[in-house]
mmCIF file of all heavy atoms in Angstrom:
data_model
loop_
_atom_site.group_PDB
_atom_site.id
_atom_site.type_symbol
_atom_site.label_atom_id
_atom_site.label_comp_id
_atom_site.label_asym_id
_atom_site.label_seq_id
_atom_site.Cartn_x
_atom_site.Cartn_y
_atom_site.Cartn_z
ATOM 1 N N LEU A 2 4.365 -5.663 -4.679
ATOM 2 C CA LEU A 2 3.442 -4.684 -4.008
ATOM 3 C C LEU A 2 2.099 -4.737 -4.564
ATOM 4 O O LEU A 2 1.113 -4.746 -3.778
ATOM 5 C CB LEU A 2 4.064 -3.324 -4.182
ATOM 6 C CG LEU A 2 5.490 -3.025 -3.715
ATOM 7 C CD1 LEU A 2 5.943 -1.645 -4.059
ATOM 8 C CD2 LEU A 2 5.498 -3.151 -2.145
ATOM 9 N N ILE A 3 1.935 -4.938 -5.899
ATOM 10 C CA ILE A 3 0.632 -4.978 -6.530
ATOM 11 C C ILE A 3 -0.141 -6.210 -6.096
ATOM 12 O O ILE A 3 -1.349 -6.149 -5.786
ATOM 13 C CB ILE A 3 0.793 -4.821 -8.034
ATOM 14 C CG1 ILE A 3 1.320 -3.507 -8.455
ATOM 15 C CG2 ILE A 3 -0.533 -5.183 -8.721
ATOM 16 C CD1 ILE A 3 1.647 -3.370 -9.916
ATOM 17 N N ALA A 4 0.568 -7.382 -5.995
ATOM 18 C CA ALA A 4 0.013 -8.563 -5.634
ATOM 19 C C ALA A 4 -0.501 -8.486 -4.114
ATOM 20 O O ALA A 4 -1.561 -9.102 -3.751
ATOM 21 C CB ALA A 4 0.963 -9.720 -5.704
ATOM 22 N N ALA A 5 0.172 -7.748 -3.288
ATOM 23 C CA ALA A 5 -0.263 -7.665 -1.835
ATOM 24 C C ALA A 5 -1.431 -6.735 -1.646
ATOM 25 O O ALA A 5 -2.178 -6.764 -0.611
ATOM 26 C CB ALA A 5 0.899 -7.141 -1.039
ATOM 27 N N TYR A 6 -1.703 -5.865 -2.629
ATOM 28 C CA TYR A 6 -2.855 -4.945 -2.560
ATOM 29 C C TYR A 6 -4.199 -5.675 -2.552
ATOM 30 O O TYR A 6 -4.469 -6.442 -3.442
ATOM 31 C CB TYR A 6 -2.734 -4.003 -3.781
ATOM 32 C CG TYR A 6 -3.982 -3.053 -4.000
ATOM 33 C CD1 TYR A 6 -4.317 -2.137 -3.042
ATOM 34 C CD2 TYR A 6 -4.778 -3.242 -5.023
ATOM 35 C CE1 TYR A 6 -5.463 -1.259 -3.251
ATOM 36 C CE2 TYR A 6 -5.933 -2.470 -5.303
ATOM 37 C CZ TYR A 6 -6.209 -1.535 -4.333
ATOM 38 O OH TYR A 6 -7.321 -0.722 -4.528
ATOM 39 N N ASP A 7 -4.933 -5.427 -1.540
ATOM 40 C CA ASP A 7 -6.234 -5.982 -1.483
ATOM 41 C C ASP A 7 -7.080 -5.212 -0.373
ATOM 42 O O ASP A 7 -7.119 -5.586 0.861
ATOM 43 C CB ASP A 7 -6.267 -7.400 -1.053
ATOM 44 C CG ASP A 7 -7.617 -8.192 -1.169
ATOM 45 O OD1 ASP A 7 -8.586 -7.449 -1.124
ATOM 46 O OD2 ASP A 7 -7.626 -9.366 -1.256
ATOM 47 N N PRO A 8 -7.715 -4.118 -0.759
ATOM 48 C CA PRO A 8 -8.366 -3.315 0.236
ATOM 49 C C PRO A 8 -9.492 -4.052 0.970
ATOM 50 O O PRO A 8 -9.887 -3.643 2.069
ATOM 51 C CB PRO A 8 -8.857 -2.086 -0.618
ATOM 52 C CG PRO A 8 -8.934 -2.611 -1.984
ATOM 53 C CD PRO A 8 -7.832 -3.589 -2.140
ATOM 54 N N THR A 9 -10.018 -5.004 0.385
ATOM 55 C CA THR A 9 -11.185 -5.690 1.103
ATOM 56 C C THR A 9 -10.644 -6.520 2.266
ATOM 57 O O THR A 9 -11.385 -6.863 3.134
ATOM 58 C CB THR A 9 -11.898 -6.686 0.090
ATOM 59 O OG1 THR A 9 -10.955 -7.625 -0.413
ATOM 60 C CG2 THR A 9 -12.486 -5.938 -1.113
ATOM 61 N N GLU A 10 -9.355 -6.758 2.297
ATOM 62 C CA GLU A 10 -8.714 -7.440 3.361
ATOM 63 C C GLU A 10 -7.947 -6.636 4.225
ATOM 64 O O GLU A 10 -7.120 -7.016 5.070
ATOM 65 C CB GLU A 10 -7.886 -8.648 2.911
ATOM 66 C CG GLU A 10 -8.667 -9.694 2.271
ATOM 67 C CD GLU A 10 -7.829 -11.048 2.216
ATOM 68 O OE1 GLU A 10 -6.646 -11.046 2.534
ATOM 69 O OE2 GLU A 10 -8.504 -12.151 1.851
ATOM 70 N N GLY A 11 -8.108 -5.215 4.087
ATOM 71 C CA GLY A 11 -7.497 -4.311 4.905
ATOM 72 C C GLY A 11 -6.042 -3.874 4.473
ATOM 73 O O GLY A 11 -5.276 -3.342 5.238
ATOM 74 N N ARG A 12 -5.671 -4.222 3.178
ATOM 75 C CA ARG A 12 -4.372 -3.872 2.624
ATOM 76 C C ARG A 12 -4.464 -2.810 1.650
ATOM 77 O O ARG A 12 -4.444 -3.067 0.393
ATOM 78 C CB ARG A 12 -3.661 -5.158 2.001
ATOM 79 C CG ARG A 12 -3.562 -6.236 3.044
ATOM 80 C CD ARG A 12 -2.484 -7.336 2.689
ATOM 81 N NE ARG A 12 -2.903 -8.025 1.509
ATOM 82 C CZ ARG A 12 -3.624 -9.195 1.378
ATOM 83 N NH1 ARG A 12 -4.077 -9.697 2.529
ATOM 84 N NH2 ARG A 12 -3.882 -9.772 0.281
ATOM 85 N N ALA A 13 -4.828 -1.629 2.014
ATOM 86 C CA ALA A 13 -5.109 -0.520 1.187
ATOM 87 C C ALA A 13 -3.858 0.335 0.860
ATOM 88 O O ALA A 13 -3.827 1.200 -0.029
ATOM 89 C CB ALA A 13 -6.090 0.395 1.871
ATOM 90 N N ILE A 14 -2.773 0.254 1.730
ATOM 91 C CA ILE A 14 -1.500 0.862 1.432
ATOM 92 C C ILE A 14 -0.478 -0.265 1.616
ATOM 93 O O ILE A 14 -0.464 -1.069 2.489
ATOM 94 C CB ILE A 14 -1.196 1.955 2.563
ATOM 95 C CG1 ILE A 14 -2.328 2.982 2.630
ATOM 96 C CG2 ILE A 14 0.098 2.625 2.292
ATOM 97 C CD1 ILE A 14 -2.161 3.957 3.796
ATOM 98 N N VAL A 15 0.375 -0.323 0.580
ATOM 99 C CA VAL A 15 1.438 -1.446 0.541
ATOM 100 C C VAL A 15 2.762 -0.660 0.507
ATOM 101 O O VAL A 15 3.107 0.041 -0.326
ATOM 102 C CB VAL A 15 1.173 -2.319 -0.656
ATOM 103 C CG1 VAL A 15 2.118 -3.477 -0.535
ATOM 104 C CG2 VAL A 15 -0.226 -2.800 -0.720
ATOM 105 N N VAL A 16 3.684 -1.176 1.408
ATOM 106 C CA VAL A 16 4.985 -0.565 1.569
ATOM 107 C C VAL A 16 6.035 -1.725 1.595
ATOM 108 O O VAL A 16 5.883 -2.723 2.282
ATOM 109 C CB VAL A 16 5.065 0.177 2.958
ATOM 110 C CG1 VAL A 16 6.390 0.814 3.138
ATOM 111 C CG2 VAL A 16 3.915 1.187 3.105
ATOM 112 N N PRO A 17 7.108 -1.582 0.859
ATOM 113 C CA PRO A 17 8.153 -2.504 0.896
ATOM 114 C C PRO A 17 9.110 -2.255 2.149
ATOM 115 O O PRO A 17 9.240 -1.118 2.651
ATOM 116 C CB PRO A 17 8.936 -2.217 -0.317
ATOM 117 C CG PRO A 17 8.837 -0.696 -0.578
ATOM 118 C CD PRO A 17 7.421 -0.380 -0.126
ATOM 119 N N VAL A 18 9.580 -3.355 2.687
ATOM 120 C CA VAL A 18 10.416 -3.315 3.934
ATOM 121 C C VAL A 18 11.699 -4.166 3.703
ATOM 122 O O VAL A 18 11.564 -5.312 3.193
ATOM 123 C CB VAL A 18 9.592 -3.888 5.090
ATOM 124 C CG1 VAL A 18 10.496 -3.947 6.372
ATOM 125 C CG2 VAL A 18 8.383 -3.078 5.403
ATOM 126 N N HIS A 19 12.765 -3.675 4.172
ATOM 127 C CA HIS A 19 14.034 -4.461 4.115
ATOM 128 C C HIS A 19 14.811 -4.057 5.447
ATOM 129 O O HIS A 19 14.982 -3.009 5.708
ATOM 130 C CB HIS A 19 14.906 -4.149 2.855
ATOM 131 C CG HIS A 19 16.212 -4.876 2.878
ATOM 132 N ND1 HIS A 19 16.168 -6.270 2.615
ATOM 133 C CD2 HIS A 19 17.475 -4.555 3.058
ATOM 134 C CE1 HIS A 19 17.443 -6.643 2.544
ATOM 135 N NE2 HIS A 19 18.252 -5.665 2.884
ATOM 136 N N GLY A 20 15.175 -5.166 6.033
ATOM 137 C CA GLY A 20 15.941 -4.944 7.306
ATOM 138 C C GLY A 20 15.134 -4.196 8.365
ATOM 139 O O GLY A 20 15.661 -3.481 9.204
ATOM 140 N N GLY A 21 13.825 -4.474 8.397
ATOM 141 C CA GLY A 21 12.892 -3.830 9.265
ATOM 142 C C GLY A 21 12.630 -2.358 8.998
ATOM 143 O O GLY A 21 11.989 -1.715 9.787
ATOM 144 N N LYS A 22 13.149 -1.843 7.981
ATOM 145 C CA LYS A 22 12.964 -0.418 7.615
ATOM 146 C C LYS A 22 12.175 -0.317 6.325
ATOM 147 O O LYS A 22 12.356 -0.952 5.377
ATOM 148 C CB LYS A 22 14.299 0.218 7.422
ATOM 149 C CG LYS A 22 14.241 1.772 7.137
ATOM 150 C CD LYS A 22 15.637 2.249 6.909
ATOM 151 C CE LYS A 22 15.635 3.771 6.522
ATOM 152 N NZ LYS A 22 17.012 4.265 6.192
ATOM 153 N N ARG A 23 11.134 0.632 6.427
ATOM 154 C CA ARG A 23 10.226 0.798 5.279
ATOM 155 C C ARG A 23 11.005 1.662 4.210
ATOM 156 O O ARG A 23 11.808 2.480 4.516
ATOM 157 C CB ARG A 23 8.948 1.543 5.638
ATOM 158 C CG ARG A 23 7.990 0.640 6.458
ATOM 159 C CD ARG A 23 6.827 1.442 6.952
ATOM 160 N NE ARG A 23 5.882 0.591 7.581
ATOM 161 C CZ ARG A 23 4.668 1.003 8.140
ATOM 162 N NH1 ARG A 23 4.443 2.323 8.126
ATOM 163 N NH2 ARG A 23 3.882 0.164 8.761
ATOM 164 N N GLY A 24 10.522 1.417 2.924
ATOM 165 C CA GLY A 24 11.212 2.175 1.914
ATOM 166 C C GLY A 24 10.174 2.568 0.825
ATOM 167 O O GLY A 24 8.979 2.759 1.093
ATOM 168 N N ASN A 25 10.707 2.648 -0.488
ATOM 169 C CA ASN A 25 9.791 3.061 -1.641
ATOM 170 C C ASN A 25 10.001 2.085 -2.704
ATOM 171 O O ASN A 25 10.996 1.394 -2.729
ATOM 172 C CB ASN A 25 10.229 4.470 -2.064
ATOM 173 C CG ASN A 25 9.783 5.574 -1.238
ATOM 174 O OD1 ASN A 25 8.569 5.872 -0.981
ATOM 175 N ND2 ASN A 25 10.682 6.157 -0.500
ATOM 176 N N PRO A 26 9.014 2.045 -3.648
ATOM 177 C CA PRO A 26 7.765 2.757 -3.849
ATOM 178 C C PRO A 26 6.665 2.381 -2.833
ATOM 179 O O PRO A 26 6.736 1.366 -2.180
ATOM 180 C CB PRO A 26 7.319 2.467 -5.207
ATOM 181 C CG PRO A 26 8.491 1.750 -5.866
ATOM 182 C CD PRO A 26 9.231 1.067 -4.732
ATOM 183 N N ILE A 27 5.655 3.181 -2.753
ATOM 184 C CA ILE A 27 4.445 2.928 -1.956
ATOM 185 C C ILE A 27 3.207 2.902 -2.843
ATOM 186 O O ILE A 27 3.106 3.780 -3.618
ATOM 187 C CB ILE A 27 4.279 3.935 -0.828
ATOM 188 C CG1 ILE A 27 5.607 3.939 0.104
ATOM 189 C CG2 ILE A 27 3.087 3.703 0.020
ATOM 190 C CD1 ILE A 27 5.543 4.961 1.199
ATOM 191 N N LEU A 28 2.334 1.957 -2.550
ATOM 192 C CA LEU A 28 1.098 1.786 -3.358
ATOM 193 C C LEU A 28 -0.053 2.376 -2.434
ATOM 194 O O LEU A 28 -0.112 1.953 -1.238
ATOM 195 C CB LEU A 28 0.878 0.326 -3.761
ATOM 196 C CG LEU A 28 -0.362 0.117 -4.598
ATOM 197 C CD1 LEU A 28 -0.055 -1.035 -5.519
ATOM 198 C CD2 LEU A 28 -1.579 -0.222 -3.725
ATOM 199 N N TRP A 29 -0.917 3.185 -3.054
ATOM 200 C CA TRP A 29 -2.020 3.910 -2.351
ATOM 201 C C TRP A 29 -3.394 3.461 -2.958
ATOM 202 O O TRP A 29 -3.453 3.613 -4.208
ATOM 203 C CB TRP A 29 -1.828 5.376 -2.413
ATOM 204 C CG TRP A 29 -0.597 5.839 -1.731
ATOM 205 C CD1 TRP A 29 0.590 6.028 -2.174
ATOM 206 C CD2 TRP A 29 -0.446 6.161 -0.366
ATOM 207 N NE1 TRP A 29 1.534 6.425 -1.277
ATOM 208 C CE2 TRP A 29 0.929 6.599 -0.080
ATOM 209 C CE3 TRP A 29 -1.348 6.294 0.784
ATOM 210 C CZ2 TRP A 29 1.415 7.042 1.160
ATOM 211 C CZ3 TRP A 29 -0.856 6.790 2.076
ATOM 212 C CH2 TRP A 29 0.443 7.169 2.184
ATOM 213 N N ASP A 30 -4.300 3.063 -2.191
ATOM 214 C CA ASP A 30 -5.679 2.826 -2.585
ATOM 215 C C ASP A 30 -6.346 4.098 -3.081
ATOM 216 O O ASP A 30 -5.995 5.193 -2.557
ATOM 217 C CB ASP A 30 -6.450 2.143 -1.613
ATOM 218 C CG ASP A 30 -7.893 1.722 -2.004
ATOM 219 O OD1 ASP A 30 -8.003 0.936 -2.938
ATOM 220 O OD2 ASP A 30 -8.850 2.344 -1.464
ATOM 221 N N HIS A 31 -7.325 3.997 -3.970
ATOM 222 C CA HIS A 31 -7.963 5.231 -4.420
ATOM 223 C C HIS A 31 -8.659 6.054 -3.291
ATOM 224 O O HIS A 31 -8.895 7.288 -3.512
ATOM 225 C CB HIS A 31 -9.094 4.873 -5.431
ATOM 226 C CG HIS A 31 -10.220 4.121 -4.968
ATOM 227 N ND1 HIS A 31 -10.193 2.736 -4.921
ATOM 228 C CD2 HIS A 31 -11.427 4.587 -4.538
ATOM 229 C CE1 HIS A 31 -11.434 2.335 -4.421
ATOM 230 N NE2 HIS A 31 -12.086 3.408 -4.177
ATOM 231 N N ARG A 32 -8.916 5.462 -2.202
ATOM 232 C CA ARG A 32 -9.559 6.269 -1.141
ATOM 233 C C ARG A 32 -8.691 7.363 -0.573
ATOM 234 O O ARG A 32 -9.152 8.203 0.098
ATOM 235 C CB ARG A 32 -10.014 5.257 -0.047
ATOM 236 C CG ARG A 32 -8.782 4.799 0.881
ATOM 237 C CD ARG A 32 -9.319 3.865 1.956
ATOM 238 N NE ARG A 32 -9.653 2.544 1.482
ATOM 239 C CZ ARG A 32 -10.014 1.507 2.212
ATOM 240 N NH1 ARG A 32 -10.188 1.670 3.435
ATOM 241 N NH2 ARG A 32 -10.248 0.354 1.599
ATOM 242 N N PHE A 33 -7.395 7.223 -0.875
ATOM 243 C CA PHE A 33 -6.429 8.185 -0.396
ATOM 244 C C PHE A 33 -6.029 9.277 -1.425
ATOM 245 O O PHE A 33 -5.270 10.160 -1.234
ATOM 246 C CB PHE A 33 -5.119 7.585 0.043
ATOM 247 C CG PHE A 33 -5.335 6.607 1.260
ATOM 248 C CD1 PHE A 33 -5.323 5.258 1.005
ATOM 249 C CD2 PHE A 33 -5.639 7.050 2.427
ATOM 250 C CE1 PHE A 33 -5.528 4.293 2.021
ATOM 251 C CE2 PHE A 33 -5.844 6.167 3.531
ATOM 252 C CZ PHE A 33 -5.772 4.745 3.284
ATOM 253 N N PHE A 34 -6.700 9.201 -2.671
ATOM 254 C CA PHE A 34 -6.241 10.053 -3.755
ATOM 255 C C PHE A 34 -6.482 11.553 -3.326
ATOM 256 O O PHE A 34 -5.586 12.365 -3.655
ATOM 257 C CB PHE A 34 -6.955 9.677 -5.075
ATOM 258 C CG PHE A 34 -6.424 8.426 -5.674
ATOM 259 C CD1 PHE A 34 -5.471 7.622 -5.159
ATOM 260 C CD2 PHE A 34 -7.001 8.022 -6.890
ATOM 261 C CE1 PHE A 34 -5.050 6.456 -5.635
ATOM 262 C CE2 PHE A 34 -6.538 6.861 -7.507
ATOM 263 C CZ PHE A 34 -5.571 6.113 -6.886
ATOM 264 N N GLU A 35 -7.582 11.778 -2.777
ATOM 265 C CA GLU A 35 -7.898 13.171 -2.368
ATOM 266 C C GLU A 35 -6.892 13.780 -1.465
ATOM 267 O O GLU A 35 -6.347 14.798 -1.547
ATOM 268 C CB GLU A 35 -9.306 13.333 -1.897
ATOM 269 C CG GLU A 35 -10.314 13.196 -2.962
ATOM 270 C CD GLU A 35 -11.762 13.508 -2.434
ATOM 271 O OE1 GLU A 35 -11.876 14.038 -1.281
ATOM 272 O OE2 GLU A 35 -12.819 13.292 -3.182
#
């Protein structure tokens, strides 16, 4: 998840997926902290 994080390329939220279904944990860029 951390490796996929790259807000400059539009990857500001990173979500794991298995079997087509999203799960946890989720990574959030600092722009969403507020």
